[in-house]
Amino acid sequence: MVELLAPAGDLEKLKIAILYGANAVFIGGLKFSLRSRASNFTIEDIKEGCSFAHKHNAKVHVTCNIVMHEIDTEEILEYLKELERAGVDAIIASSVTILKLVVEHTKMAAHVSTQTSCTNQEAIAYYQELGADRVVLARELTLEEIADIKKKTDMELEVFIHGGMCVSYSGRCMLSNNMTNRDANRGGCAHSCRWCYNLYQGDEKINPEEDYFAVSSKDLCAIEAIPRLLELGIDSFKIEGRMKSLHYIATIVKTYRTLIDDISMGKLQDFNIYKEMMSKAENRLTSTGFLLGQPTIEEQLYDLDMSIPNKDFVGIVLNYDTKTKMATIEQRNHFVPNSSLEVFGPNHTAIIAINEIYDKDHISLDAARHPRQIVYFYTDYPLEKDDLLRLN
Amino acid sequence: MKLICKLNHWDSLNDIAPYIHGVLLEDTKQIEQVEALELIPILMLDQMMFPKEVEDYETLISKVAHTSCLFYITDIGLGHLLKKLGLIERTIFDPKTMITNHLDAQIYASYGFHALGISNEITLKDYKAILEKTGLKAFYQVFGYRLMFTSRRRLVSLYSEKIQKSISLANLSIEEATRLGEERYPICENQYGTKIYRNHLICLLKEILNLPMEYAFLDDMGISSNVFKEIVFLFHSAIEQKDVSSLLERLNRLGLPLSDGFSYKDSVYMKEEF
């Protein structure tokens, strides 16, 4: 069965990703990890995360994918051993040193990061000879190129199916470092590819006024490619976004979980149904990237303001008392009494109407307006812990 | 130390030949000409390789294996292919950003590569540390616009289609519109995709004698052939241990937009406090 691999920026997201259908999560530790602004995990968090994951038959992969400078090269093995003791299943790395240490000194699996931009079977063979267990393929590959590679290797393959796309070959972009002195290959990417540029021919500006040249790509959404990827026997489907919200992760994971399960049960529905499910998360504009062929202008992001913010996620269920029918909610966005809410859980969805909202002293509120405020309401619908609520 | 040039102004080859040791080539037809000048031909295979191209590369490489050429690659997959073909000892592997410490460098060197390209995102201090700890043969850019972005997407053509205006691919540059001021970054596109370069030229003339390296690479992209001839002469003189201060004066008179890059300033490593 294919592994659905989800990102997790913290323990809460890790648990939600698994509850909503991920078979594995990837997280960053405090050392050797890109995405430095994601809230990376301490060893204690990792232990707890692994314990939770393993209880739910899921795995934990830890990214150690920085491009190490001389100053970063100390204590790597010690750190890897700590991760192994914490229960980590796999290490994702681009450094051949880290990959080799994982292979030779631990029982964890060694996964070759997409930062290495593996685009062909020969590159995969190199890493296989190094002892790696899996390669995360470059996002520049089309479905047919992936099929070609799959025919020529018995290495485990992981393919990105959703999330942000580097427009440069991953690991080979120095835009951020050169323009802002923030090193993308050590976790400091300033996303310079998403800035607006004027295009010059000699000294003449050739882009129309306010119609900037952009090098950015729309995010990847591989819904339409999933049946073919399943047919090819790809081992793992990866969702990008360790810095994304809880609601985003739950929504995207559940959508792909539903799609994969529907296909495996022979019950594939119209793709628009899955797209509709997904649209409730705060997605940026999406495209199929390279999967269906060389990108056209439809895959490029020219209007850089066209991200789609979403404030519909209003809270997470902490508890539901079946006797009193009172729900305990942690607020995540503003909502008011007398609202219609969509309950969105790992195994169910429903629309409920709520009346009064109360605080901890049972005082009626005119709104749940404070971030992470604990509020209460009555509902006959039996909510479950970790259900998410969003405006209907 | 050997001076290696990449020439957009191919006509200037005969003029600079006495001062250099090798040439990076994009076309196998140029190998013979370079050999005739008793220079080292280095065939550039610097694209990423895709599954259907593997056989084509194998054919191309086999066709030139009998010559004296070296192979310059950036994709480890091509390295694996060249090893299978018994040509790894003639291969320079330059994964651009990836070789930034001595541990990784050692592993790549032990694979049998003839030389390795060291990342230009590290300081010269780190560069030297890698070379001292490994003793490997390095390939390093000492002059020219440094590459900072490579995409499979043909970004200029796509933009041309978007604005419905034909754009010639020659002499293009981009300028960030709101943050960075009037800095121009050369941008090139071909059938393999798009490349963007730094806005200033790297020039390690004063440092070159103190930098251990097998191949010092000079690129003439964006430079007139006369200026490039002068640059080559200056580097040649520097490695011949001529008086560097007078060479630097001559360099300054050229008025080129120079920058140290990361030679002396490490980039920010944004740690977990964010």
Side-chain angles (χ1 to χ4, degrees), chain B residues 119-172:
Chain B
S119 167
N120 60 47
E121 284 193 296
I122 61 174
T123 61
L124 293 181
K125 188 178 160 205
D126 275 1
Y127 170 88
K128 282 189 205 174
I130 292 171
L131 273 283
E132 277 160 18
K133 288 173 187 171
T134 61
L136 61 81
K137 290 179 178 175
F139 178 98
Y140 197 67
Q141 185 174 5
V142 295
F143 179 83
Y145 287 103
R146 279 181 168 172
L147 184 64
M148 61 172 187
F149 172 96
T150 310
S151 177
R152 193 183 187 188
R153 295 169 196 249
R154 296 172 68 174
L155 296 168
V156 178
S157 297
L158 287 170
Y159 182 69
S160 164
E161 189 184 334
K162 191 247 175 189
I163 62 170
Q164 298 182 322
K165 178 178 170 180
S166 158
I167 300 175
S168 152
L169 296 176
N171 199 18
L172 291 171

Side-chain angles (χ1 to χ4, degrees), chain A residues 53-334:
Chain A
H54 295 161
K55 270 183 206 152
H56 291 80
N57 294 319
K59 291 184 174 177
V60 175
H61 307 177
V62 173
T63 55
C64 292
N65 54 352
I66 68 163
V67 176
M68 295 186 294
H69 289 202
E70 281 293 295
I71 198 173
D72 307 315
T73 58
E74 288 170 11
E75 299 171 1
I76 315 167
L77 182 57
E78 200 176 301
Y79 181 62
L80 292 173
K81 288 280 188 189
E82 266 190 291
L83 294 175
E84 185 178 34
R85 285 192 293 273
V88 170
D89 299 284
I91 297 295
I92 306 166
S94 57
S95 157
V96 281
T97 303
I98 295 179
L99 289 166
K100 228 166 136 52
L101 287 173
V102 172
V103 169
E104 292 173 0
H105 297 276
T106 80
K107 290 191 168 66
M108 297 183 288
H111 293 183
V112 180
S113 167
T114 197
Q115 292 296 106
T116 59
S117 280
C118 275
T119 57
N120 58 73
Q121 58 273 25
E122 295 291 332
I124 291 164
Y126 170 83
Y127 289 108
Q128 196 160 26
E129 286 167 18
L130 201 68
D133 300 282
R134 177 186 290 186
V135 165
V136 187
L137 292 176
R139 280 168 281 191
E140 283 76 12
L141 290 165
T142 65
L143 273 177
E144 292 323 304
E145 286 166 342
I146 293 170
D148 268 358
I149 289 174
K150 182 67 189 165
K151 275 186 221 154
K152 289 166 184 152
T153 181
D154 57 0
M155 182 81 138
E156 278 186 28
L157 299 178
E158 183 174 309
V159 170
F160 274 90
I161 58 165
H162 198 89
M165 299 271 278
C166 285
V167 73
S168 167
Y169 286 107
S170 297
R172 293 183 176 226
C173 183
M174 295 178 256
L175 280 186
S176 169
N177 209 359
N178 282 305
M179 290 180 172
T180 69
N181 210 41
R182 286 170 51 177
D183 188 350
N185 293 318
R186 290 196 294 168
C189 183
H191 300 290
S192 306
C193 61
R194 300 204 177 129
W195 295 352
C196 300
Y197 294 90
N198 288 315
L199 180 64
Y200 285 84
Q201 190 121 52
D203 286 328
E204 184 196 351
K205 190 173 93 169
I206 55 176
N207 56 298
E209 205 57 40
E210 300 294 317
D211 193 348
Y212 294 116
F213 177 75
V215 297
S216 190
S217 152
K218 289 179 184 169
D219 281 6
L220 176 65
C221 172
I223 283 178
E224 284 144 321
I226 295 294
R228 178 75 175 128
L229 288 168
L230 281 171
E231 200 177 275
L232 291 176
I234 299 303
D235 299 278
S236 180
F237 292 168
K238 185 175 213 157
I239 296 167
E240 181 274 349
R242 278 192 280 145
M243 294 168 71
K244 297 286 191 179
S245 75
L246 191 74
H247 178 235
Y248 174 91
I249 288 167
T251 307
I252 303 302
V253 167
K254 187 170 176 183
T255 304
Y256 281 106
R257 175 81 278 147
T258 307
L259 173 58
I260 293 165
D261 291 348
D262 285 354
I263 293 170
S264 64
M265 291 185 293
K267 292 179 180 169
L268 177 64
Q269 306 174 69
D270 190 308
F271 288 128
N272 287 326
I273 292 174
Y274 308 101
K275 287 180 185 171
E276 173 62 23
M277 280 174 76
M278 195 174 273
S279 68
K280 293 178 178 172
E282 59 279 27
N283 278 294
R284 288 193 291 252
L285 293 180
T286 60
S287 78
T288 52
F290 278 87
L291 288 172
L292 303 184
Q294 275 283 346
T296 66
I297 54 172
E298 295 305 319
E299 275 72 40
Q300 293 303 111
L301 187 61
Y302 290 111
D303 187 341
L304 298 166
D305 294 327
M306 285 178 72
S307 56
I308 303 172
N310 186 310
K311 295 287 179 197
D312 289 351
F313 170 42
V314 295
I316 180 165
V317 177
L318 300 183
N319 188 40
Y320 180 74
D321 187 326
T322 49
K323 286 183 187 156
T324 62
K325 300 189 174 177
M326 179 178 273
T328 308
I329 309 297
E330 185 178 277
Q331 189 264 29
R332 293 303 170 92
N333 273 301
H334 184 277

